């Protein structure tokens, strides 16, 4: 446990040193405030529209940004140590491979969680203070749900980045694969699902189809933040499938948790078999 | 308790053998030189002792335990060849990080940095370090937690002569305190005075192990005598011709001196005869150096191997 914390501590102080933590927090706060005030600009008015609409917009933006940031933060976790020549040295210390990877996860995970909490937390407080007739309780619940799911989504992509990082032997390859993962989950997956829907002309099993959404953590994340306001009407595109999912919010949370636990377990397993 | 013990160890990488039937051990308070061209299996042997890899065959026991166990690795110090560090951290930060990982006292950090001569640079980022400074930081790292087994791969690369001498003095002190030390190096004349035993590896098998005297005996290489004649070279030559019973003597003249290559077992007989004749003014004796022995055991193919060395 001690060595896990030692590794995590170094990652945390690295992200403080290179200003990652500050930069991400700042980006999150700016975006959240921008969306809160100008999110309704398309409908011809400036000012805070409503909590559900703000959260929905934030979540739509989050699915682009969070995976990208998480992948960038973590893609070189192991392959970077190897290229830097420090992996071999670390492995001669009383430190198992699992401890190293878990320490990295703790460090990167905390960095992302802190940035999310600070960035969106500040935005949430600002909305509560500056908007006059906002229902504080429902805003707090929505913000809490949004921050928690954002952190889980980020952890999922950190774990996915590790799967790459323990497998490849060169940093540029890891970066390329990380981008491919981002591209797949954020852009391609929904398109493929939509294509399947249209092409099958409704012949595809209606029970199976909604479950396919669970195969993409970004879809689970969006469902969680939008469905929560029983706003099935707001679900557009493939997400309308989510209305048919018989698992409820708890299932969606579980889905997000599994989406970081399973890739992390895979990364640990693959790392154990890596030749150093 | 031995520092390490390799018994009939073999290791294969993708079916091609890297190590074959290695028997090697190191006792506390001993400096072992591990020599061989690159690819001979030095690094593989070290990695097996560190527990980074498992042998395909045979047993590796380290400090009375199993290689790679945390209780064992805690007492091993290792300096890899071409050691690298996190460029954005300072020397002190890096050493503190490694000290925490090793469970060593943080009070050691400034002491060790001072000991390796980095006390002026300990708060500078290591990306500003020269090769020699990185090497010293690597050495400080290996000394964390007072290891019982110390393994150094090319420790003198990038060190100036004074720092090199300091390093060897330090290693001697550690040895006298009971640390077992493995030294891999290509600078054979440099390490020769400091090692207690040498192990020579070629193509994954151990060619020779032992102290220099034993290796010289095993190699049976001629000793070179350099003689100053008291009167004339030809008189001295006659004395030697008469004294030598077997063939294989080489007599060369250069600068008015005689160089005589003599088999070790005939050396004393020849010396006595020369001394008794009164024809010699001065004698110096050159034993085969570690380098000579190394080349002898590596064989004639050695040059080809050494081509890929540097």
């Amino acid at each position: 446990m001690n060595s896990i914390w030692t590794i995590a501590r170094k990652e945390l102080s690295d992200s403080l040193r290179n200003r990652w933590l500050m930069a991400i927090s700042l980006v999150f706060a700016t975006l959240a405030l921008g969306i809160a005030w100008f999110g309704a600009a398309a409908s011809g008015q400036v000012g805070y529209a409503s909590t559900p609409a703000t959260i929905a917009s934030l979540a739509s933006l989050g699915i682009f940004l969070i995976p990208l940031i998480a992948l960038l933060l973590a893609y070189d976790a192991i392959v970077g140590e190897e290229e830097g020549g420090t992996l071999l040295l670390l492995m001669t210390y009383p430190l198992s491979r699992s401890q190293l990877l878990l320490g990295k996860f703790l460090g990167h995970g905390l960095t992302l969680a802190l940035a999310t909490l600070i960035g969106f937390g500040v935005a949430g407080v600002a909305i509560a203070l500056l908007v006059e007739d906002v229902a504080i309780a429902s805003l707090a619940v929505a913000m809490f749900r949004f921050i928690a799911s954002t952190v889980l989504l980020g952890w999922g992509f950190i774990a996915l980045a590790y799967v790459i990082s323990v497998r490849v032997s060169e940093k540029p390859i890891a970066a390329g694969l990380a981008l491919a993962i981002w591209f797949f989950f954020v852009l391609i997956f929904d398109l493929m699902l939509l294509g399947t829907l249209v092409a099958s002309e409704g012949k595809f099993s209606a029970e199976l189809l909604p479950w396919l959404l669970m195969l993409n953590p970004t879809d689970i994340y969006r469902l969680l933040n939008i469905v929560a306001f029983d706003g099935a009407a707001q679900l557009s595109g493939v997400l309308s499938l989510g209305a048919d999912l018989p698992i409820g919010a708890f299932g969606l949370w579980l889905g997000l948790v599994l989406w970081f636990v399973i890739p992390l377990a895979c990364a640990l397993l693959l790392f154990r078999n890596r030749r150093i | 308790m031995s520092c390490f013990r390799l018994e009939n160890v073999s290791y294969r990488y993708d079916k091609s053998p890297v190590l074959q039937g290695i028997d090697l051990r190191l006792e506390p308070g001993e400096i072992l030189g591990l020599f061989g061209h690159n690819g001979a299996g030095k690094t593989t042997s070290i990695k097996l002792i560190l527990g980074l890899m498992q042998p395909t065959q045979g047993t590796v026991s380290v400090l009375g335990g199993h290689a790679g166990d945390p209780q064992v690795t805690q007492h091993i110090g290792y300096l890899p060849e071409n050691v690298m560090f996190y460029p954005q951290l300072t020397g002190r930060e890096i050493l503190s990080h490694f000290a925490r990982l090793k469970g060593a006292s943080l009070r050691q950090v400034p002491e060790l940095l001072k000991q390796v001569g980095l006390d002026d640079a300990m708060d500078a980022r290591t990306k500003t370090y020269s090769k020699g400074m990185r090497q010293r930081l690597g050495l400080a790292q290996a000394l964390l937690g007072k290891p019982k087994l110390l393994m150094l791969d090319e420790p003198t690369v990038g060190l100036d002569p004074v720092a090199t001498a300091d390093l060897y003095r330090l290693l001697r002190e550690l040895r006298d305190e009971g640390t077992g030390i493995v030294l891999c190096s290509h600078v054979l004349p440099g390490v020769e005075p400091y090692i207690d035993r040498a192990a020579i590896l070629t193509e994954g098998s151990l060619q020779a192990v032992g102290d220099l005297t034993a290796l010289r005996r095993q190699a049976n290489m001629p000793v070179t005598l350099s003689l100053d004649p008291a009167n004339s070279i030809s008189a001295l030559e006659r004395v030697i011709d008469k004294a030598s019973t077997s063939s294989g003597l080489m007599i060369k003249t250069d600068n008015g001196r005689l160089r005589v290559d003599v088999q070790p077992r005939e050396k004393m007989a020849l010396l006595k005869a020369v001394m008794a004749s009164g024809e010699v003014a001065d004698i110096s004796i050159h034993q085969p150096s570690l380098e000579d022995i190394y080349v002898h055991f590596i064989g004639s193919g050695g040059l080809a191997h050494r081509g890929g060395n540097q």
Side-chain angles (χ1 to χ4, degrees):
Chain A
M1 194 60 218
N2 240 334
S3 21
I4 295 181
W5 176 239
T6 305
I7 298 290
R9 183 187 158 141
K10 176 180 171 294
E11 291 305 327
L12 258 180
S13 76
D14 278 357
S15 54
L16 278 176
R17 182 192 308 267
N18 59 25
R19 313 267 197 294
W20 259 87
L21 187 59
M22 208 178 73
I24 305 174
S25 309
L26 217 62
V27 167
F28 285 169
T30 317
L31 283 175
L33 289 172
I35 282 176
W37 261 264
F38 301 108
S43 57
Q45 59 186 77
V46 172
Y48 192 71
S50 70
T51 303
T54 303
I55 295 287
S57 305
L58 276 178
S60 311
L61 202 78
I63 60 156
F64 284 95
L65 214 57
I66 306 298
L68 198 62
I69 290 175
L71 289 166
L72 274 179
L73 198 64
Y75 82 94
D76 67 345
I78 298 301
V79 73
E81 294 268 0
E82 187 175 52
E83 277 200 353
T86 40
L87 184 61
L88 178 71
L89 195 58
L90 279 177
M91 292 292 90
T92 67
Y93 275 72
L95 170 77
S96 72
R97 297 183 185 199
S98 310
Q99 282 173 324
L100 174 62
L101 201 62
L102 288 174
K104 291 260 177 191
F105 186 76
L106 192 61
H108 289 142
L110 276 177
T111 301
L112 197 78
L114 275 175
T116 311
L117 198 65
I118 296 170
F120 292 126
V122 164
V125 170
I127 293 171
L129 290 178
L130 298 176
V131 177
E132 285 180 2
D133 50 354
V134 71
I136 302 282
S138 80
L139 175 71
V141 170
M143 263 315 200
F144 177 77
R145 188 190 306 115
F146 175 71
I147 290 175
S149 59
T150 301
V151 170
L152 285 179
L153 180 70
W155 287 357
F157 278 89
I158 289 176
L160 283 171
Y162 289 167
V163 174
I164 299 170
S165 202
V166 300
R167 272 301 283 171
V168 304
S169 54
E170 279 166 56
K171 241 163 90 167
I173 297 177
L177 286 176
L179 273 182
I181 282 198
W182 181 81
F183 210 67
F184 177 77
F185 282 118
V186 176
L187 300 173
I188 309 277
F189 187 89
D190 283 7
L191 275 182
M192 273 170 40
L193 207 56
L194 211 57
T196 318
L197 261 178
V198 173
S200 67
E201 291 171 347
K203 282 189 237 95
F204 206 86
S205 161
E207 270 119 62
L208 186 68
L209 215 44
W211 287 100
L212 292 179
L213 285 182
M214 297 297 281
L215 292 181
N216 185 346
T218 64
D219 282 340
I220 304 179
Y221 170 76
R222 268 198 295 181
L223 278 176
L224 246 179
N225 282 294
I226 297 172
V227 167
F229 298 101
D230 6 274
Q234 291 198 36
L235 294 175
S236 57
V238 287
L239 281 190
S240 53
L241 286 171
D244 300 333
L245 262 182
I247 51 172
F250 176 76
L252 293 175
W253 284 109
L254 185 69
L256 269 190
V257 170
L258 286 180
W259 259 108
F260 88 78
V261 170
I262 295 173
L264 189 60
C266 286
L268 284 170
L269 206 69
L270 288 171
F271 190 29
R272 208 164 287 174
N273 296 327
R274 180 183 181 127
R275 213 194 302 259
I276 291 182
Chain B
M1 186 176 67
S2 299
C3 283
F4 66 78
R5 205 183 276 269
L6 302 182
E7 275 159 20
N8 192 27
V9 166
S10 298
Y11 182 79
R12 272 186 282 280
Y13 183 96
D14 291 339
K15 284 182 188 151
S16 62
V18 180
L19 288 179
Q20 288 170 305
I22 303 283
D23 284 298
L24 189 63
R25 47 174 194 78
L26 176 73
E27 298 300 329
E30 190 177 33
I31 300 184
L32 172 74
L34 189 55
F35 308 113
H37 53 80
N38 281 2
K42 285 177 302 184
T43 308
T44 306
S45 309
I46 288 181
K47 284 185 176 179
L48 287 172
I49 296 164
L50 287 166
L52 293 174
M53 308 186 304
Q54 298 303 316
T56 321
Q57 210 181 68
T59 56
V60 180
S61 69
V62 182
L63 296 169
H66 189 264
D69 280 354
Q71 306 91 297
V72 170
T73 41
Q74 199 168 11
H75 299 293
I76 300 183
Y78 171 53
L79 172 66
E81 196 178 354
N82 295 322
V83 66
M84 302 286 279
F85 294 105
Y86 307 106
Q88 77 281 16
L89 298 190
T90 68
R92 189 206 294 266
E93 285 168 335
I94 285 172
L95 206 57
S96 305
H97 179 59
F98 282 113
R100 281 189 209 105
L101 281 177
K102 209 164 192 174
S105 156
L106 287 177
R107 256 175 314 173
Q108 267 196 318
V109 170
E111 285 168 26
L112 279 174
L113 286 168
K114 199 170 166 172
Q115 194 169 5
V116 297
L118 280 179
D119 35 351
D120 291 334
M122 64 167 102
D123 290 315
R125 295 186 178 200
T126 52
K127 67 176 165 198
T128 65
Y129 279 23
S130 67
K131 172 104 183 74
M133 287 161 83
R134 272 212 310 273
Q135 193 75 6
R136 288 187 226 191
L137 184 58
L139 195 68
Q141 163 277 135
L143 295 174
L144 279 169
K146 219 161 189 338
K148 292 178 185 160
L149 169 60
L150 189 58
M151 291 196 278
L152 309 174
D153 203 342
E154 295 288 352
T156 56
V157 170
L159 293 187
D160 58 63
V162 177
T164 305
D166 283 347
L167 167 68
Y168 285 132
R169 194 172 326 122
L170 177 66
L171 292 186
R172 260 200 182 151
E173 278 168 27
L174 290 170
R175 184 214 32 204
D176 293 342
E177 290 165 20
T179 311
I181 300 173
V182 179
L183 209 53
C184 289
S185 182
H186 288 128
V187 193
L188 300 179
V191 297
E192 182 171 351
Y194 301 98
I195 57 172
D196 298 311
R197 281 195 308 144
I200 298 172
L201 275 168
T202 44
E203 276 154 28
S205 47
L206 216 45
Q207 284 294 316
V209 198
D211 58 32
L212 283 179
T213 320
L215 288 180
R216 283 195 187 103
R217 205 177 303 130
Q218 196 183 337
N220 199 25
M221 293 170 75
V223 179
T224 305
L225 307 181
S226 188
L227 308 169
D228 270 341
N231 304 310
S232 72
I233 282 208
S234 50
L236 188 55
E237 263 178 324
R238 271 196 303 279
V239 172
I240 292 167
D241 272 338
K242 224 169 77 191
S244 63
T245 47
S246 68
S247 59
L249 269 180
M250 303 247 297
I251 303 179
K252 292 178 201 154
T253 35
D254 59 326
N255 303 342
R257 305 189 90 196
L258 262 184
R259 281 181 48 142
V260 184
D261 285 351
V262 60
Q263 290 302 313
R265 64 193 143 80
E266 293 175 358
K267 181 183 70 184
M268 285 316 291
L270 182 62
L271 278 174
K272 276 177 193 155
V274 170
M275 302 284 275
S277 72
E279 290 288 347
V280 65
D282 193 13
I283 301 180
S284 56
I285 304 173
H286 303 283
Q287 297 268 32
S289 67
L290 180 59
E291 199 154 15
D292 299 329
I293 296 171
Y294 177 77
V295 171
H296 172 87
F297 281 109
I298 293 289
S300 55
L303 267 183
H305 292 309
R306 285 157 81 201
N309 226 351
Q310 303 303 325

